[in-house]
Amino acid sequence: MKKVKVIKIDVDKCNGCRSCEVICSAFHAAPKYSSTNPERSRIRVLFDPLKDTYVPVIAGEYTEAECNGRDIYTINGKEYDECAFCRASCPSRQLFKDPDSDLPLKCDMCEEEPPLPEPLCVQWCLSDALTYEEREEEGEEEDKPGEMEIGLEALVKKYGLKTVKDTLDRVSKS
Ligand code: SF4
Ligand code: SF4
């Protein structure tokens, strides 16, 4: 059996306070909690003033190329832009990329030792727009790539393995 961690998002309860963005970026700052910057957050609250809706979106997988197919959502009779609620870190937009390094950002469920009782964005969401659930499913636990692995993979795809290796060699000697 494997443990599946789920954050449920209730858009109707989100008031746009952005506490989730603040705590997520603080948790992932280096050193931890030393700064806040929503652009480094793995959760972003998208707001469309004309449609008066806040939608929290949690960063998902990195994708190397723009996808060819696009989704257009209509909610309560209001049509939203293509890509509006996509979770991917993707070349076609700046969402879910570190503002300094341009490396992709992905939610890691605030994993650390000892484990937190709940992810921090859930703890900081006082409106209960975010709630946490764990359940057991059939199957083996997967080895999930860590932040370092995701970042290195993105660098290798962008610059090639040799350049990344040469740079690491140079940095380790300096
Ligand atoms: S903390 Fe909760 S209510 Fe506030 S913006 Fe985030 S999801 Fe919405
Ligand atoms: S679970 Fe943690 S890493 Fe994921 S969006 Fe929430 S605060 Fe950020």
Side-chain angles (χ1 to χ4, degrees), residues 13-20 45 56 121 124-127 129-130:
K13 289 185 178 166
C14 177
N15 60 20
C17 72
R18 299 190 189 273
S19 305
C20 50
V45 181
C121 55
W124 276 52
C125 180
L126 301 183
S127 311
L130 307 175

Side-chain angles (χ1 to χ4, degrees), residues 19-40:
S19 305
C20 50
E21 293 183 349
V22 171
I23 189 60
C24 182
S25 67
F27 180 75
H28 291 93
K32 208 171 260 191
Y33 300 118
S34 60
S35 64
T36 63
N37 178 353
E39 288 187 26
R40 289 209 176 85

Side-chain angles (χ1 to χ4, degrees), residues 1-126:
M1 299 295 272
K2 64 177 177 187
K3 195 196 297 177
V4 179
K5 300 175 176 183
V6 181
I7 296 176
K8 289 183 163 177
I9 302 170
D10 186 340
V11 172
D12 293 338
K13 289 185 178 166
C14 177
N15 60 20
C17 72
R18 299 190 189 273
S19 305
C20 50
E21 293 183 349
V22 171
I23 189 60
C24 182
S25 67
F27 180 75
H28 291 93
K32 208 171 260 191
Y33 300 118
S34 60
S35 64
T36 63
N37 178 353
E39 288 187 26
R40 289 209 176 85
S41 172
R42 276 84 169 146
I43 179 167
R44 295 308 304 270
V45 181
L46 309 179
F47 176 56
D48 187 326
L50 293 178
K51 293 157 192 158
D52 197 23
T53 310
Y54 295 98
V55 182
V57 177
I58 294 177
E61 296 297 329
Y62 164 68
T63 166
E64 215 176 324
E66 270 180 57
C67 53
N68 296 325
R70 300 290 165 86
D71 303 320
I72 297 178
Y73 285 80
T74 301
I75 304 174
N76 291 334
K78 295 167 187 169
E79 189 174 288
Y80 289 77
D81 293 341
E82 286 180 4
C83 313
F85 308 126
C86 180
R87 302 179 58 204
S89 172
C90 148
S92 69
R93 55 186 190 166
Q94 202 44 40
L95 193 71
F96 299 135
K97 286 187 195 141
D98 183 275
D100 298 326
S101 65
D102 218 32
L103 289 175
L105 302 174
K106 184 185 171 195
C107 168
D108 57 9
M109 286 283 181
C110 304
E111 275 184 5
E112 71 168 358
E113 282 304 323
L116 301 175
E118 287 188 325
L120 286 166
C121 55
V122 174
Q123 292 186 40
W124 276 52
C125 180
L126 301 183

